[in-house]
Amino acid sequence: MADDSKASNVGGRYAQALFDLANDEKKLAAVEADLKALKKMRADSRDFHILLASPAFGAADKGRALAAIADKAKLNSTTKKFLGLLAANGRASVLPAVIEAFEALAAKARGAVSAQVTSAIPLTPAQTKGVAAALRTALGKDPEIETRVDPSILGGIKVRVGSRLFDASLRSKLDSLKFALKRA
């Protein structure tokens, strides 16, 4: 658990530096799009996930791999340089934390809030709009929703906004009931 906290703190500092640089260079939207593409690549590719996380690959190897990925994906020059710096400093493994922190910074700059919605089955567009409307009312800001599907929650939804988690999943309700029955 301490390692996750340490990674997110480091990721937050790198994200802030990248955000400031991209903002100064007027490339905020391009860098944000690049990071979203990298996030999708990491989610879709087990090899990319392993490359970032594994200590078996040295900083130079990770740097070359990230440079090749950046070239192939035609990423912005600011993003390419940042990935090179991250690899050179031995911090490629914190890229997911950097992306998450950068997305939060970009959303805050736009006056929006980033929300992760997890459901047991894919949400329909109407359901997504309903969740967005409820979040807009509850938070007073426009939400930028990222949806995920996790069948293990059985039903309902989980919504994470920053460090707050609204859990209306069937799994958590069953776990609460199980705990209450064990206490009785």
Side-chain angles (χ1 to χ4, degrees):
M1 189 66 91
D3 290 335
D4 288 343
S5 174
K6 187 175 184 180
S8 71
N9 288 341
V10 171
R13 289 193 303 267
Y14 274 96
Q16 184 66 56
L18 178 60
F19 181 83
D20 292 342
L21 177 64
N23 198 25
D24 290 346
E25 293 180 352
K26 308 281 190 255
K27 296 181 179 178
L28 201 53
V31 171
E32 185 176 11
D34 289 348
L35 292 179
K36 285 185 187 220
L38 286 167
K39 183 178 185 177
K40 182 167 178 18
M41 284 181 223
R42 183 178 173 271
D44 293 346
S45 171
R46 186 175 189 282
D47 293 337
F48 187 45
H49 181 82
I50 290 170
L51 171 73
L52 292 176
S54 177
F57 299 103
D61 293 334
K62 287 182 181 185
R64 284 191 295 275
L66 287 172
I69 290 168
D71 287 338
K72 186 80 172 166
K74 295 180 173 64
L75 300 182
N76 185 293
S77 62
T78 302
T79 308
K80 289 180 189 179
K81 290 176 189 173
F82 176 76
L83 291 174
L85 174 74
L86 209 59
N89 290 345
R91 298 292 192 178
S93 62
V94 299
L95 182 61
V98 170
I99 294 170
E100 187 175 321
F102 189 94
E103 287 176 339
L105 288 169
K108 184 177 179 183
R110 285 190 299 276
V113 64
S114 180
Q116 296 173 341
V117 177
T118 305
S119 60
I121 58 172
L123 297 176
T124 66
Q127 290 170 326
T128 304
K129 282 183 182 179
V131 170
L135 286 172
R136 190 175 302 109
T137 302
L139 303 172
K141 293 183 178 182
D142 286 330
E144 293 181 354
I145 296 178
E146 174 188 336
T147 59
R148 295 182 185 168
V149 175
D150 180 5
S152 71
I153 69 170
L154 302 177
I157 63 170
K158 287 183 176 183
V159 179
R160 179 175 299 279
V161 179
S163 62
R164 294 186 293 180
L165 175 66
F166 305 98
D167 190 349
S169 68
L170 186 55
R171 166 65 71 200
S172 68
K173 290 179 182 182
L174 288 173
D175 287 344
S176 295
L177 183 59
K178 180 179 168 183
F179 180 73
L181 288 172
K182 282 185 177 181
R183 284 189 354 189

